[in-house]
Amino acid sequence: MQAQIIHAWGEADQFEAATLPDPVPGPGEVLVQIAATSVNPADYKLRQFGPPIAPELPAVLGCDAAGRVLAVGDGVEGFAPGDEVYGCVGGVRGVPGCYAEMIVADARLLAPKPASLTLREAAALPLVTITAWEGLERAGVREGQSVLVHGGAGGVGHVAIQLAKARGAMVSTTVSSEEKAALARELGADHTIDYRNETVDDYVARLTGGAGFDVVYDATGGSDIAASFQAARLNGQVVVIVSTYEADLAPMHIKGLTLHVVFMLIPMLHDEGRAEHGRILREAAALADADKLRPHLDPQRFELAAVADAHRHLEAGHAAGKVVVDVEAGLP
């Protein structure tokens, strides 16, 4: 099979084409013909920094995949050749990635592809959907609550808006432009906030009467956790997807806040809770087919041979939606 591999950690120009042996599924595994994959910030950070969570060199990166089942290993139930599937199934330590024509995936990490989505759309969903879902679930988001999503036009953020709305929450989101605000509203956000022109105190007063939000989900991956603490109500919930920085937790203590750190790669890295990812993706597929969840794709298209360009595009901040890489030619 054809793949894109790297021999060293660093810049995107490390990628090169390679011919690798076709993988064979073992017990509990599914062989998937990959139609499309995607690029997440996690993918380019793994490429940049390598260990301790990256696969061994020479490495095939790429976490997300959508495609068709070619064969199943012993003990696999619920999947058969020809089925269209999607999942976050590789690209980390111990698990080869999805920048290739085929992958052997743990069946527990897979789910049937949403019938209403194309393979390209399905490939955009797994990592960001599981991340958004886990954060909202751990924060106990429910009907009638007020939820603030920082970065509502980003990969995790635009999914978090839709999932929070599906739970019946009132959703506000911070954005940096009117174009992103329009997208957030299209996805269901009740209120948009131009964080460059409105202070935290001002939008908390405007949208919550000064009480603060029940749940604040920082989907930006940034380091301004103080704004999340400031926006949350007393005894509220704060969710972050990046916490590799120093922060003052005194405001959190004063308000009695609960902080949830989401790192959705744990099941792949430690082989613990993998079936939970499959469950989440099955439920997400049902939401997609009920017209309650859809990915927003970047309009620029990339083939497998141009995966380095796809990485550069996302890393430079040029993407306007999830960056998808077509592994199979001619995808709609």
Side-chain angles (χ1 to χ4, degrees), residues 47-184:
R47 188 209 75 228
Q48 288 176 326
F49 303 116
I53 66 171
E56 292 185 1
L57 296 171
V60 179
L61 299 178
C63 295
D64 289 333
R68 302 173 186 85
V69 175
L70 291 175
V72 299
D74 292 342
V76 172
E77 298 180 356
F79 298 106
D83 290 349
E84 293 187 330
V85 295
Y86 77 135
C88 182
V89 295
V92 298
R93 186 186 66 225
V95 192
C98 301
Y99 297 157
E101 292 178 321
M102 287 180 273
I103 190 169
V104 164
D106 187 325
R108 294 172 294 175
L109 296 170
L110 288 170
K113 178 189 77 68
S116 59
L117 300 184
T118 67
L119 286 162
R120 296 186 76 246
E121 290 171 326
L125 280 177
L127 186 148
V128 294
T129 298
I130 294 168
T131 301
W133 192 294
E134 183 177 344
L136 295 172
E137 200 162 79
R138 286 168 60 178
V141 172
R142 59 188 183 275
E143 185 174 0
Q145 284 192 313
S146 59
V147 175
L148 171 64
V149 177
H150 285 306
V156 174
H158 89 288
V159 172
I161 288 172
Q162 297 174 80
L163 296 183
K165 288 300 297 181
R167 288 171 173 256
M170 179 72 68
V171 180
S172 303
T173 186
T174 58
V175 292
S176 60
S177 69
E178 179 51 40
E179 180 183 10
K180 291 180 178 180
L183 171 63

